[in-house]
């Protein structure tokens, strides 16, 4: 990997050193990846706005010394700010990120990026009932993990 450019959703951010941060990202092409964002916690950091939770960003990552890449560019495409205005939606947003992180440890699939992005977009829409968004997310996650609900036939294979 020399330099790669892709869309990403921030799953987790961890402070590292005085002004750096390790950022765990979910990308459609490369799955889950961790990158080092140098100087991101400084006041004048140009990258800080591009790696916020509950946003989809366009990122550029350069090769680092080990497995971890170095974040060299980040620009927020969509920030799902309405999630932050409702406590229940915020809590479920954190749950979505947690479950996607857990699921991608077992199975690295591009569909997890789409599920995460669509779930955040649904949580951002105050018109959608939160219970409906929750049910939809859990059903989609179960399907991606191979435990989907069969609504087409019964236990005997007869069409419903």
């Amino acid at each position: 990997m020399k330099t790669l450019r892709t869309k990403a959703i921030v799953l987790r951010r961890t402070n590292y050193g005085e002004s750096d941060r390790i950022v765990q990202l979910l990308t459609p092409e490369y799955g889950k990846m961790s990158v080092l964002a140098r100087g991101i916690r400084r006041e004048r950091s140009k990258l800080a706005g591009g790696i916020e939770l509950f946003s989809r960003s366009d990122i550029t990552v350069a090769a680092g010394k080990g497995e971890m890449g170095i974040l060299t560019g980040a620009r927020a495409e969509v920030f799902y700010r309405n999630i932050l205005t409702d406590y229940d939606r915020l809590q479920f947003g954190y749950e979505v990120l947690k479950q996607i992180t857990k699921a991608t440890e077992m199975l690295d699939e591009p569909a997890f990026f789409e599920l995460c992005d669509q779930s955040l977009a649904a949580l951002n829409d105050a018109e959608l009932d939160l219970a409906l968004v929750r049910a939809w997310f859990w059903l989609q996650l179960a399907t991606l993990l191979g435990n989907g609900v069969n609504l087409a036939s019964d236990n005997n294979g007869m069409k419903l």
Side-chain angles (χ1 to χ4, degrees):
M1 165 178 95
K2 286 192 176 189
T3 301
L4 61 93
R5 185 173 178 187
T6 185
K7 295 182 186 315
I9 295 173
V10 176
L11 296 175
R12 182 181 298 158
R13 302 177 307 176
T14 306
N15 291 342
Y16 181 76
E18 191 173 311
S19 62
D20 301 338
R21 190 173 272 164
I22 295 174
V23 184
Q24 192 174 60
L25 303 167
L26 181 65
T27 66
E29 297 93 5
Y30 307 102
K32 189 166 57 173
M33 62 189 314
S34 293
V35 298
L36 179 64
R38 291 195 173 137
I40 199 84
R41 292 169 41 209
R42 291 191 183 122
E43 275 186 46
R44 296 181 184 228
S45 174
K46 294 177 183 176
L47 300 176
I51 60 160
E52 290 298 320
L53 290 174
F54 306 122
S55 66
R56 183 181 66 229
S57 302
D58 186 31
I59 62 157
T60 305
V61 178
K65 290 184 179 179
E67 287 183 20
M68 192 177 302
I70 306 295
L71 187 70
T72 58
R75 183 180 57 83
E77 287 183 346
V78 180
F79 179 57
Y80 301 111
R81 70 176 41 97
N82 292 338
I83 295 173
L84 303 176
T85 62
D86 182 342
Y87 181 75
D88 292 331
R89 288 180 184 273
L90 178 66
Q91 285 300 106
F92 190 66
Y94 284 125
E95 185 66 23
V96 166
L97 296 179
K98 178 181 163 187
Q99 292 300 321
I100 294 288
T101 300
K102 193 170 153 183
T104 53
E105 289 172 5
M106 295 182 281
L107 182 66
D108 201 7
E109 186 72 31
F112 285 116
F113 177 84
E114 289 300 319
L115 174 60
C116 189
D117 193 37
Q118 290 173 358
S119 299
L120 293 177
L123 285 171
N124 194 54
D125 187 352
E127 299 288 319
L128 292 175
D129 184 20
L130 180 57
L132 182 63
V133 174
R134 282 184 177 149
W136 178 84
F137 171 76
W138 289 115
L139 287 170
Q140 295 300 316
L141 183 63
T143 301
L144 287 175
L145 293 174
N147 301 320
V149 178
N150 180 5
L151 300 174
S153 61
D154 63 12
N155 287 341
N156 299 323
M158 300 298 295
K159 187 175 179 181
L160 294 176

